[in-house]
Amino acid sequence: MEADDREIRELERAAEWRLRKVDANPADERSARAAAQLFKLAEDLRRGADEKLLYEYRCVCNWLSESDGISDFVLRAEDYRAMVGFGEWAETGDDYVRALIGLARETFGMG
């Protein structure tokens, strides 16, 4: 599924960014934990998130695309991934998708 693959890639990119922070400062344990969690979330999505959640996520994203709100949402989702382990957290891939749905709804003024 295209949206799922995109989210997996974005999670992995955020994890790799956190690992570069660890490379620059090996004492940065928070970034190391955040990177591990981001990789875990990507793997959860790869194994398959709840189909109803994914359907809702796709619908909200399609709605945002049609209303020109998708670029704002993309920036908010990027900020969310950057903050995992630093004030934000998702335990599972499903929790991550729920968080994205919430951000998407807030972006459109529904949250």
Side-chain angles (χ1 to χ4, degrees):
M1 314 264 178
E2 182 181 324
D4 311 339
D5 290 342
R6 183 176 60 244
E7 286 307 323
I8 290 167
R9 285 191 309 274
E10 293 298 332
L11 285 164
E12 290 173 338
R13 237 176 270 166
E16 290 163 359
W17 171 70
R18 282 282 168 208
L19 287 178
R20 285 192 298 278
K21 293 198 162 285
V22 174
D23 286 343
N25 177 10
D28 187 355
E29 293 177 15
R30 284 181 75 190
S31 285
R33 281 192 303 274
Q37 186 62 20
L38 289 160
F39 279 128
K40 178 193 177 295
L41 295 173
E43 186 57 32
D44 283 355
L45 290 182
R46 190 172 282 110
R47 279 183 277 162
D50 180 282
E51 281 302 314
K52 288 180 184 179
L53 281 175
L54 292 175
Y55 178 77
E56 182 178 355
Y57 176 63
R58 289 182 200 114
C59 289
V60 172
C61 285
N62 287 338
W63 189 19
L64 286 172
S65 292
E66 292 175 9
S67 67
D68 296 326
I70 196 70
S71 58
D72 291 338
F73 166 69
V74 168
L75 292 174
R76 293 186 77 189
E78 184 177 305
D79 289 344
Y80 176 81
R81 284 185 296 273
M83 291 301 297
V84 167
F86 293 82
E88 297 291 347
W89 193 259
E91 193 63 39
T92 67
D94 287 349
D95 291 339
Y96 173 73
V97 174
R98 281 187 199 94
L100 292 181
I101 290 168
L103 289 173
R105 289 174 179 270
E106 288 172 10
T107 300
F108 199 72
M110 296 174 49

